[in-house]
């Protein structure tokens, strides 16, 4: 397996593939991880992926600088800003959302943690190595790494928004395109510990007429990001920043000034032959729902078990078609929802009636309707205007604790393998021998009902027929390839 790109998504893909026991080489053209903080909010669904990889505690530990920074703040300047009360969204029909808490950690802190973890589990991680070209045939991809050839059964292209792999494959993108106006991100350093003490925040909206924008905490003490509208990058940034801060900040140092335009674009195809796009290579979205990196982590999580099943010979190559069938609509949903949100923390804009419940976004509540699923009883739609997980086919299994110590969750039962969750006597189900059977007496599962859980915690089948799971599993792993799916097309590029 070859992964192109050592950003957040490529590194997660390496960890997931190693978790499934595959040999992995990752190439990253930069010599170091991202110097920009970029994404900072990792939702519970991403933390569940890190939990499965045995990394959740390590990530929370690395995130300790921002542990108390979950509040939003608003003010004319940072010095005058007040924190807004924490708002719990209404409309949650679930006792608890996840076994994991969300995590606020800057991407430039998280990536080194993932890079070290990927190396620790045996991935061949090569920074300072670029993919310069590739060709593929029906058996393999031959990748050119700056003059050296590497042969791989499959390639995961996690090479970012400007993905060279996607362009070489001639895959276009669709969507709204630019969302809102251009903006500038000013990354700066200043010791503001005394200014923010007792008013720690995630994001602070600045309403000063000469410096409107928002300040994001990167480490909550020395590193900050100021985001403001406009195209000009040549302003007197130290003066603008001091106006926004409302304090002299004598040690202020501007680290970088980057023009930026929020966009909503999703790749028209996720796969071409043996090459599969993941992360920003497949989708870009505005940051207002903090879904970009989180959607990419879910891509890696899902692609990993499919590649492992195919490479081990447990599944037909057509299993990989389900990746695009599921993840493309999921990315479109996340990107569209992100584009419908704004940064106004005072909530002065009229909410879009099509907004999904926030927990539907953060807990992977999007329901797959097409892909590696078996729905003999038809489609039971999951609502999006409230968070009401019920173990429907195509959704992430609802979280319930399995023990009094609250150490094991239903989400710990899937991955890296499949599992069967049975309400009531599990013995008749165990006879099929297809997958490990777990008894689960939960409110959402009537006695005598079972859920077939995929390695990515998605319910693939639900029913009462004890003879079904073994047959269903084989059918799901060996789908007939749809001739209309262009995935089987082999592109050859240099
Ligand atoms: C200002 C800002 C704020 C954001 N906030 C959030 C947030 O709060 N929450 C969230 O979820 N997301 C957020 N995002 C989005 C998030 O940063 C991206 O979704 C995430 O970085 C995507 O990760 P990736 O690994 O797919 O791509 P990238 O991080 O872009 O990594 C791609 C990597 O591929 C490498 N590469 C490219 N071509 C080659 C090649 N030929 N050979 C080898 N390597 C190659 C690049 O050097 C790069 O390191 C934000 C983004 C920005 C810009």
């Amino acid at each position: 397996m070859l992964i192109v790109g050592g950003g957040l998504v490529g590194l997660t893909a390496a960890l997931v593939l190693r978790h499934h026991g595959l040999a992995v080489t990752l190439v990253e053209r930069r010599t170091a991880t991202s110097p920009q903080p970029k994404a900072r909010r990792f939702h519970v669904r991403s933390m569940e992926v890190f939990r499965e990889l045995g990394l959740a505690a390590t990530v929370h530990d690395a995130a300790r600088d921002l542990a108390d920074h979950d509040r939003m703040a608003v003010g004319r300047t940072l010095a005058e800003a007040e924190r807004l009360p924490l708002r719990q969204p209404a409309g949650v029909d679930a006792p608890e959302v996840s076994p994991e808490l969300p995590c606020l950690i800057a991407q430039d802190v998280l990536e080194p943690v993932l890079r070290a973890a990927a190396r620790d589990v045996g991935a061949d991680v090569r920074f300072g190595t670029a993919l310069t070209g590739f060709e593929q045939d029906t058996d393999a991809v031959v990748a050119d790494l700056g003059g050296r050839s590497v042969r791989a059964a499959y390639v995961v292209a996690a090479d970012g928004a400007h993905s060279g792999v996607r362009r070489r494959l001639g895959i276009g993108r669709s969507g709204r395109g630019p969302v809102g106006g251009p903006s500038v991100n000013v990354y700066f350093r200043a010791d503001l510990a005394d200014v923010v003490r007792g008013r720690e925040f995630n994001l602070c909206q600045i309403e000063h007429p000469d410096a409107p924008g928002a300040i994001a905490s990167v480490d909550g003490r020395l590193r900050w990001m100021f985001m403001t509208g406009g195209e000009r990058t040549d302003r007197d940034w130290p003066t603008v920043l001091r106006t926004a801060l409302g304090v002299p900040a004598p040690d202020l140092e501007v680290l970088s000034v980057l023009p930026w335009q929020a966009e909503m674009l999703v790749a028209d195809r996720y796969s071409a032959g043996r090459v599969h796009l993941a992360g920003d290579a497949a989708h870009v979205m505005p940051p207002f729902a903090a879904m970009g990196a989180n959607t990419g982590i879910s891509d890696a999580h899902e692609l990993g078990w499919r590649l492992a099943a195919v490479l081990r010979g447990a599944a037909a190559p057509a299993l990989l078609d389900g990746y695009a069938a599921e993840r493309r609509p999921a990315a479109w949903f996340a990107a569209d929802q992100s584009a419908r949100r704004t940064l106004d923390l005072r909530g002065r804009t009229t909410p879009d009636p099509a907004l999904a419940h926030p927990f539907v976004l953060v807990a992977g509540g999007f329901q797959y309707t097409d892909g590696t699923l078996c729905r003999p009883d038809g489609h039971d739609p999951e609502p999006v205007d409230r968070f009401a997980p019920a173990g429907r086919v195509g959704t992430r299994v609802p979280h319930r604790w399995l023990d009094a110590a609250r150490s094991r969750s239903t989400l710990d039962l899937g991955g890296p393998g499949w599992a069967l969750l049975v309400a009531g006597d599990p013995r008749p189900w165990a006879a099929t021998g297809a997958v490990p059977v777990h008894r689960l007496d939960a409110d959402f599962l009537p006695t005598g009902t079972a859920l077939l859980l995929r390695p990515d915690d998605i319910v693939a089948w639900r029913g009462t027929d004890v003879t079904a799971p073994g047959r269903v599993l084989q059918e799901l792993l060996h789908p007939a390839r749809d001739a209309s799916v262009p995935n089987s097309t082999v592109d050859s590029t240099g």
Side-chain angles (χ1 to χ4, degrees):
M1 282 296 320
L2 177 67
I3 299 171
V4 184
L8 198 74
V9 175
L11 290 166
T12 304
L15 285 158
V16 171
L17 290 166
R18 286 299 302 137
H19 185 55
H20 285 280
L22 298 183
V24 180
T25 299
L26 179 150
V27 292
E28 163 56 52
R29 69 177 167 203
R30 284 196 310 239
T31 52
T33 48
S34 171
Q36 288 286 328
K38 298 200 286 189
R40 292 174 311 123
R41 180 170 280 284
F42 292 86
H43 296 317
V44 291
R45 186 64 194 130
S46 295
M47 294 309 296
E48 289 165 5
V49 173
F50 293 142
R51 176 186 177 91
E52 183 186 334
L53 297 171
L55 285 174
T58 312
V59 171
H60 279 299
D61 189 45
R64 59 190 173 277
D65 281 347
L66 292 182
D68 300 320
H69 290 65
D70 48 355
R71 301 271 290 272
M72 300 298 184
V74 179
R76 205 176 74 96
T77 63
L78 180 66
E80 297 163 81
E82 288 181 8
R83 291 201 293 188
L84 298 171
L86 265 185
R87 274 195 304 255
Q88 270 303 333
V92 181
D93 300 354
E96 246 181 294
V97 171
S98 170
E100 287 295 332
L101 291 171
C103 187
L104 203 60
I105 178 171
Q107 197 166 328
D108 63 341
V109 177
L110 178 58
E111 284 186 5
V113 171
L114 300 181
R115 180 183 177 184
R119 283 203 166 130
D120 286 350
V121 295
D124 177 6
V125 179
R126 303 184 196 173
F127 273 57
T129 305
L131 175 88
T132 46
F134 64 94
E135 288 183 13
Q136 60 173 321
D137 55 30
T138 46
D139 297 325
V141 183
V142 179
D144 186 349
L145 307 180
R148 241 167 357 100
S149 276
V150 165
R151 207 176 152 78
Y154 291 97
V155 168
V156 177
D159 55 342
H162 305 290
S163 170
V165 174
R166 186 190 66 234
R167 276 185 274 129
R168 284 196 187 102
L169 292 169
I171 298 178
R173 293 185 295 174
S174 306
R176 297 186 190 197
V179 177
S183 60
V184 180
N185 288 345
V186 186
Y187 180 29
F188 67 100
R189 196 182 159 87
D191 189 344
L192 299 174
D194 291 341
V195 182
V196 302
R197 187 164 298 116
R199 296 182 300 135
E200 287 82 3
F201 62 88
N202 168 1
L203 206 60
C204 179
Q205 185 166 307
I206 302 295
E207 300 183 325
H208 196 293
D210 297 334
I215 297 175
S217 297
V218 175
D219 69 1
R221 188 174 158 242
L222 294 172
R223 300 192 296 135
W224 313 89
M225 183 71 79
F226 178 62
M227 296 159 281
T228 187
E231 265 170 308
R232 277 188 55 199
T233 52
D234 60 350
R235 295 172 66 186
D236 175 2
W237 291 112
T239 301
V240 174
L241 291 173
R242 288 191 172 101
T243 303
L245 297 176
V247 291
D251 61 338
L252 186 145
E253 181 192 356
V254 174
L255 300 174
S256 69
V257 178
L258 292 178
W260 188 67
Q261 171 65 59
E263 291 183 297
M264 182 254 170
L265 288 170
V266 180
D268 296 332
R269 288 189 289 148
Y270 267 36
S271 306
R274 293 178 166 270
V275 182
H276 303 278
L277 308 181
D280 276 18
H283 43 71
V284 288
M285 56 194 79
F288 313 133
M291 285 300 290
N294 288 289
T295 304
I297 288 170
S298 287
D299 294 343
H301 190 223
E302 161 147 0
L303 187 53
W305 73 262
R306 290 179 185 277
L307 287 167
V310 171
L311 280 170
R312 271 205 228 96
L319 180 73
L320 292 167
D321 298 349
Y323 171 61
E326 295 180 358
R327 292 307 304 163
R328 189 174 182 279
W332 189 279
F333 176 75
D336 177 60
Q337 285 290 324
S338 302
R340 291 174 187 278
R341 285 167 160 77
T342 68
L343 197 57
D344 184 41
L345 299 180
R346 288 202 193 270
R348 286 171 296 209
T349 45
T350 314
D352 185 325
L355 279 189
H357 191 278
F359 284 9
V360 168
L361 290 174
V362 302
F366 178 77
Q367 183 175 27
Y368 301 141
T369 55
D370 191 15
T372 307
L373 310 167
C374 175
R375 289 183 317 221
D377 300 329
H379 177 50
D380 179 13
E382 179 102 339
V384 294
D385 56 348
R386 63 199 167 90
F387 183 64
R392 298 176 180 89
V393 173
T395 64
R396 154 192 171 277
V397 67
H399 156 65
R400 296 291 184 274
W401 289 116
L402 299 175
D403 56 359
R406 298 159 76 87
S407 65
R408 287 186 76 231
S409 159
T410 40
L411 282 145
D412 299 327
L413 299 176
W418 292 67
L420 193 67
L421 278 50
V422 175
D425 185 0
R427 281 170 300 185
W429 299 88
T432 64
V435 291
V437 177
H438 303 273
R439 180 171 181 150
L440 175 68
D441 295 315
D443 52 323
F444 61 86
L445 206 58
T447 303
T449 311
L451 300 182
L452 182 61
L453 206 58
R454 302 190 329 199
D456 56 356
D457 312 314
I458 298 295
V459 177
W461 170 87
R462 175 182 176 126
T464 54
D465 177 359
V466 295
T467 66
R471 186 181 66 247
V472 167
L473 179 62
Q474 285 313 309
E475 284 169 8
L476 293 176
L477 291 175
H478 297 90
R481 180 156 258 170
D482 179 352
S484 67
V485 176
N487 191 32
S488 50
T489 311
V490 172
D491 295 65
S492 184
T493 54

